[in-house]
Amino acid sequence: MIFRVRADRLVSLVLLLRQRGRLSATTLARELEVSTRTVLRDIEALSAAGVPVYAERGRRGGFALLPGFRTELTGLNHDEALALLVAGSRRGAQAFGLGSALASAMLKVVDALPESYRDTAASAVERLLIDPETDLLARRQVAEEVPDAIVAEVRRAVFAGHRLRIRYAAVGRAPQWRTVDPIGLVTVRDQGYLLATRAGEDRTYRLSRVLAAEELAEPAQRPDRVDLDRAWQDRSTRFRTGGDQVTVLVRVNPARREDLVGTALAVLAEETEADGWLRLEVTFQDSRHAEWALWQLAMNAEALAPQWLRTSLRDRAAAIATRYGAAPS
C-alpha cells in the first residue's frame, strides 16, 4: 500500500511539472499535501529512475522537466476513478474523503487530452465555478470537516460489504461504540451521511459525528442491490415525522445561521426577511433540544412559534436577570 501511494504521488509530481512548468518545492509540497523534504526525496527518486527533472537556482528557481519529455502513465487507481464518479462537484468528493484523489485523477485526465485541446480545456475550466463557499447574500456555505482516515474506513466497509464498528456522538448524548451494517453513503448540502442498519433497523449516521471507525472482517447483513435515492427519501420522511420531534419557527441573524442549522435535525423552510435576518422552520429532537439550541444563540435568534418555547425562554431569561440583578451573596 505504501509503495502504491508513493507511485501515485510520483506520477502526480511529473504531471504537475509537465502541465505547469517550473514549480518550487514549496508549491509542489502544497499541491501534493506532503512536506518539502518528501518532495526533495521524490525528486531524487525520479532522477534515479531516469526522469529528466532538473533544478533551477535563484529566487525564482524551482524544479522543471526537460522540454518535450513525455512518459507513459499508469491508469486511474480505484479512488481516482471513484472520485470522478462522485465529482459532480468538488465538494462531493471532499465529503467522502476523496478530494486528493480527485485532484490526482484530474491531472491524469488533463494529461490524456490531445495537446491541441489542453489550452482550450484549461480556459473552459476558468469559466466555470461550482458551489462557491458563499452565495449572493454573502452567507458562507461551510462544509463539515471529517478526518480522511475515518471516511476512508467507512468507505472501505461500504464497498467491501463488511460490517463496521463506529464510535458515534449523537446530539446530546455521550459517544458510544456501535456495530452497524453499512448500506451506502449520501451527501446533502456538503454534509455526509452513512445509511446503515443496526440489529435489522434502519439507521442514518452523520459522518461528522463519527469519532472513530473500524472495518470488521465479517460480512454485512444487507441486500445485494440498493436504491439509495429511494432509501434516502424514505428515511427523510420518517425522520421529519417520527418520535417526539418538535417544529420551531425562528428568526436568526445570518451570521449565526450555521450554529442553528448545525444543531437542528432538519430545515423545512427558509426565507430572507426585509431586515436581512433569516426566517427558518426547523425541527429538533424534542422540547429540551429546541430550548437548548435557541438559548445558545441569545439575542441572535428569536423563537416565533410555538408559544410554549417562547414562554420557556422568557422564564429562563427572567430567572437569570433576577439572579444577576441582586448583589452577590
Side-chain angles (χ1 to χ4, degrees):
M1 176 64 178
I2 294 176
F3 294 112
R4 192 189 78 178
V5 169
R6 192 185 187 201
D8 289 340
R9 191 175 68 239
L10 292 176
V11 170
S12 295
L13 195 158
V14 172
L15 291 176
L16 282 168
L17 295 178
R18 273 181 43 77
Q19 294 168 21
R20 294 168 56 179
R22 183 176 60 248
L23 294 173
S24 68
T26 302
T27 300
L28 288 168
R30 183 175 62 250
E31 293 287 341
L32 299 171
E33 299 181 351
V34 296
S35 66
T36 54
R37 179 172 296 182
T38 297
V39 167
L40 295 177
R41 284 201 300 264
D42 287 349
I43 292 291
E44 291 180 1
L46 289 173
S47 297
V51 177
V53 58
Y54 64 96
E56 292 187 0
R57 307 297 178 185
R59 188 176 63 179
R60 296 186 178 181
F63 296 99
L65 294 169
L66 288 178
F69 171 75
R70 187 172 184 85
T71 184
E72 293 298 322
L73 300 174
T74 57
L76 299 177
N77 66 33
H78 176 269
D79 280 356
E80 291 168 347
L82 182 62
L84 289 177
L85 290 175
V86 301
S89 74
R90 185 172 181 271
R91 292 172 181 243
Q94 293 288 3
F96 296 141
L98 292 164
S100 60
L102 175 60
S104 176
M106 293 312 295
L107 282 171
K108 294 180 179 179
V109 168
V110 171
D111 194 78
L113 292 173
E115 188 169 354
S116 59
Y117 291 171
R118 287 181 199 146
D119 290 342
T120 302
S123 177
V125 169
E126 293 176 355
R127 306 282 177 179
L128 301 173
L129 177 61
I130 300 172
D131 287 341
E133 291 188 354
T134 58
D135 63 15
L136 287 175
L137 297 177
R139 294 175 299 195
R140 186 174 179 82
Q141 309 297 316
V142 181
E144 295 183 331
E145 296 292 332
V146 185
D148 287 347
I150 291 178
V151 181
E153 195 74 8
V154 172
R155 200 172 65 235
R156 280 194 292 269
V158 169
F159 297 144
H162 290 167
R163 281 193 155 177
L164 181 69
R165 188 167 177 260
I166 59 175
R167 186 166 185 262
Y168 191 72
V171 176
R173 301 179 186 176
Q176 292 183 339
W177 284 98
R178 56 198 73 186
T179 299
V180 302
D181 296 297
I183 293 174
L185 292 165
V186 176
T187 178
V188 180
R189 298 193 180 100
D190 301 331
Q191 296 176 356
Y193 297 88
L194 167 67
L195 272 58
T197 60
R198 186 181 178 209
E201 298 292 329
D202 288 345
R203 295 288 185 269
T204 302
Y205 300 102
R206 196 154 155 176
L207 290 180
S208 62
R209 293 178 182 151
V210 177
L211 306 181
E214 177 187 0
E215 178 190 3
L216 303 180
E218 57 187 302
Q221 302 299 311
R222 66 182 192 181
D224 293 333
R225 302 294 298 272
V226 63
D227 184 342
L228 271 186
D229 188 57
R230 173 61 64 85
W232 178 256
Q233 292 296 333
D234 290 346
R235 294 184 187 209
S236 296
T237 300
R238 292 199 301 269
F239 186 76
R240 290 193 299 267
T241 59
D244 298 323
Q245 296 172 12
V246 295
T247 299
V248 174
L249 185 63
V250 59
R251 293 180 75 246
V252 63
N253 184 330
R256 300 299 300 276
R257 176 190 181 279
E258 297 305 323
D259 296 327
L260 173 66
V261 172
T263 58
L265 294 180
V267 177
L268 305 181
E270 179 176 353
E271 62 182 48
T272 303
E273 298 189 328
D275 61 358
W277 275 43
L278 305 175
R279 179 183 290 245
L280 289 87
E281 187 177 4
V282 296
T283 57
F284 292 100
Q285 189 70 48
D286 51 33
S287 58
R288 292 179 60 187
H289 181 198
E291 182 178 346
W292 173 85
L294 270 296
W295 182 257
Q296 306 306 307
L297 296 176
M299 296 299 294
N300 286 294
E302 178 188 0
L304 303 177
Q307 183 58 44
W308 63 260
L309 180 57
R310 290 179 60 87
T311 301
S312 179
L313 291 169
R314 181 201 63 197
D315 292 347
R316 177 183 283 201
I320 292 292
T322 299
R323 172 167 295 179
Y324 286 99
S329 56

